[in-house]
Amino acid sequence: IRFIFHRLLMAIPTLLIVAITVFALIRFIPGDPAALMLGDMATPDQIAEMRTELGLDTSLPQQFFVWAGNVLSGDFGQSIVNKEPVLPLVVSRFMVSAEIVVVAVILASLIAVPAGVIAAWRQNSATDLVLIGTATVLLSIPTFWLGLLLLLFFGLKLGWLPVLGYVSLSDNFVSGLLYLILPIMTLVIHEAGVLIRMAR
């Protein structure tokens, strides 16, 4: 309990540093957010009004504390593109990512744990060397590059799987599975390499 409590206390300054860094980096992006939101046809009065509405006419420390307070209370603001609250948009996309990750980890575990156990059981044998060598290669492949290769081969070259978009499993189970195969396959290949070494 003491260890967990200590770790949670250590997380507070880390989160604060990350929050300040993110806030500062956003402020370094060139251009006026109010002018970008309103477009080229906006008048100076409209831009000034929008800056007041967004709280951009206050000092940076004030802006930070308002922003941090809103985030802690669950108010992530409004999307500039969709004109909708950000939190529901994030949650809807998080559920898709969670679906992919959970399935990928389960499949990778079913492959990797037995392989890691075999490698440990046959330690320093040819089987062990092949399994650990394969695992090292798999975890060394960057996932973004592997994903692109799979898209190119199975999506564009063979035309077996869709390369763009998403269909919910609740809307159409078969189509939903087809859209999930490539991202899940990408994660399974990478995670299997990590888990084989861990299991061994």
Side-chain angles (χ1 to χ4, degrees), residues 1 23 28 92:
I1 291 169
F23 182 83
F28 284 132
S92 66

Side-chain angles (χ1 to χ4, degrees), residues 23 36 39 60 66 97 111 114 116 118 127 129 133 141 143 152 200:
F23 182 83
L36 290 172
L60 283 177
V66 169
S97 298
I111 297 165
I118 291 167
T127 305
L129 291 174
I141 301 171
T143 49
L152 183 66
R200 186 201 185 270

Side-chain angles (χ1 to χ4, degrees), residues 44 47 54 58-59 61 82 87 95 108 112 140 147 149 158 165 172 185 188 192:
I47 293 171
L54 296 172
T58 58
S59 66
N82 300 332
L87 189 58
M95 294 312 294
S140 301
L149 285 183
L158 298 177
N172 188 323
M185 195 189 306
V188 165

Side-chain angles (χ1 to χ4, degrees), residues 94-153:
F94 172 78
M95 294 312 294
V96 176
S97 298
E99 194 176 80
I100 291 167
V101 169
V102 167
V103 174
V105 169
I106 290 169
L107 290 176
S109 300
L110 290 173
I111 297 165
V113 172
V117 169
I118 291 167
W121 177 50
R122 305 283 295 168
Q123 194 170 4
N124 298 324
S125 68
T127 305
D128 179 27
L129 291 174
V130 167
L131 285 170
I132 293 303
T134 303
T136 304
V137 170
L138 292 180
L139 66 87
S140 301
I141 301 171
T143 49
F144 66 88
W145 185 72
L146 176 62
L148 288 173
L149 285 183
L150 293 175
L151 281 172
L152 183 66
F153 186 70

Side-chain angles (χ1 to χ4, degrees), residues 10-193:
M10 291 295 291
I12 293 170
T14 305
L15 289 172
L16 186 60
I17 290 166
V18 169
I20 292 169
T21 305
V22 168
F23 182 83
L25 287 173
I26 290 169
R27 292 303 179 274
F28 284 132
I29 296 172
D32 186 345
L36 290 172
M37 288 175 72
L38 293 170
D40 296 333
M41 304 301 290
T43 64
D45 289 340
Q46 289 174 322
I47 293 171
E49 188 180 333
M50 178 61 77
R51 286 182 60 81
T52 304
E53 188 182 322
L54 296 172
L56 297 173
D57 56 345
T58 58
S59 66
L60 283 177
Q62 281 180 294
Q63 291 179 39
F64 175 77
F65 284 115
V66 169
W67 173 75
N70 288 341
V71 169
L72 289 172
S73 65
D75 179 8
F76 284 53
Q78 198 173 37
S79 168
I80 296 171
V81 177
N82 300 332
K83 307 296 183 190
E84 296 175 30
V86 169
L87 189 58
L89 295 172
V90 172
V91 170
S92 66
R93 282 151 180 77
F94 172 78
M95 294 312 294
V96 176
S97 298
E99 194 176 80
I100 291 167
V101 169
V102 167
V103 174
V105 169
I106 290 169
L107 290 176
S109 300
L110 290 173
I111 297 165
V113 172
V117 169
I118 291 167
W121 177 50
R122 305 283 295 168
Q123 194 170 4
N124 298 324
S125 68
T127 305
D128 179 27
L129 291 174
V130 167
L131 285 170
I132 293 303
T134 303
T136 304
V137 170
L138 292 180
L139 66 87
S140 301
I141 301 171
T143 49
F144 66 88
W145 185 72
L146 176 62
L148 288 173
L149 285 183
L150 293 175
L151 281 172
L152 183 66
F153 186 70
F154 291 105
L156 298 176
K157 199 87 171 171
L158 298 177
W160 292 353
L161 298 167
V163 295
L164 191 65
Y166 172 75
V167 173
S168 173
L169 291 172
S170 58
D171 293 339
N172 188 323
F173 188 76
V174 175
S175 292
L177 279 179
L178 291 175
Y179 278 95
L180 290 174
I181 287 172
L182 284 178
I184 288 173
M185 195 189 306
T186 304
L187 287 180
V188 165
I189 290 169
H190 183 267
E191 287 302 313

